[in-house]
Amino acid sequence: MSKSLITDKEYRRFENIMFELWFYLEHKENFSSKFTTEDIEHINKVFEQMNAEHPREYKIIVRHHLKHVYYTAIAREQGVSEGYIRKLAKNGAYYFLQLYDDK
């Protein structure tokens, strides 16, 4: 299996963005977010574009980071290894950050 496209430092930044987004979505009313309305709109556009260009990675990112489904459950559903799903998620993080940084 080939190496993922993202570094550990970039992946950590991605995870921080996803956690902030998840927390915002779960606690909209009682949360002062670092995200502005423009940031949320930009993230929505990034997800739309990512869904069009990399749908499998998009679905894994949304299910794992925002809906908290384990990689093992996703792998079992798709009939592939957990390592492969983790690699797709990391590559999805790479694609997300590329689109996110093109602001």
Side-chain angles (χ1 to χ4, degrees):
M1 195 178 313
S2 62
K3 188 175 179 186
S4 65
L5 303 170
I6 195 167
T7 65
D8 289 338
K9 186 176 180 181
E10 290 172 321
Y11 191 71
R12 184 67 188 151
R13 182 169 73 98
F14 165 78
E15 285 182 325
N16 289 339
I17 292 169
M18 287 296 108
F19 177 77
E20 185 80 20
L21 178 62
W22 169 81
F23 201 83
Y24 170 78
L25 293 173
E26 290 292 316
H27 308 282
K28 286 180 189 175
E29 307 85 30
N30 304 324
F31 182 64
S32 60
S33 175
K34 69 177 183 179
F35 288 137
T36 63
T37 306
E38 293 172 350
D39 292 333
I40 298 297
E41 289 173 4
H42 176 65
I43 289 173
N44 285 335
K45 288 178 186 174
V46 167
F47 274 135
E48 287 174 12
Q49 187 175 353
M50 195 174 159
N51 189 22
E53 296 174 8
H54 307 282
R56 193 167 187 191
E57 289 87 347
Y58 162 80
K59 289 175 186 170
I60 291 169
I61 286 173
V62 168
R63 288 189 69 201
H64 179 71
H65 289 283
L66 300 180
K67 296 182 180 178
H68 292 270
V69 177
Y70 291 108
Y71 288 133
T72 51
I74 297 170
R76 197 173 304 125
E77 289 171 1
Q78 296 185 13
V80 297
S81 72
E82 181 181 346
Y84 180 68
I85 295 297
R86 287 181 183 277
K87 181 185 164 202
L88 286 176
K90 282 193 167 190
N91 288 344
Y94 174 79
Y95 301 137
F96 176 88
L97 287 178
Q98 275 188 327
L99 298 170
Y100 183 78
D101 292 340
D102 285 346
K103 198 172 194 181

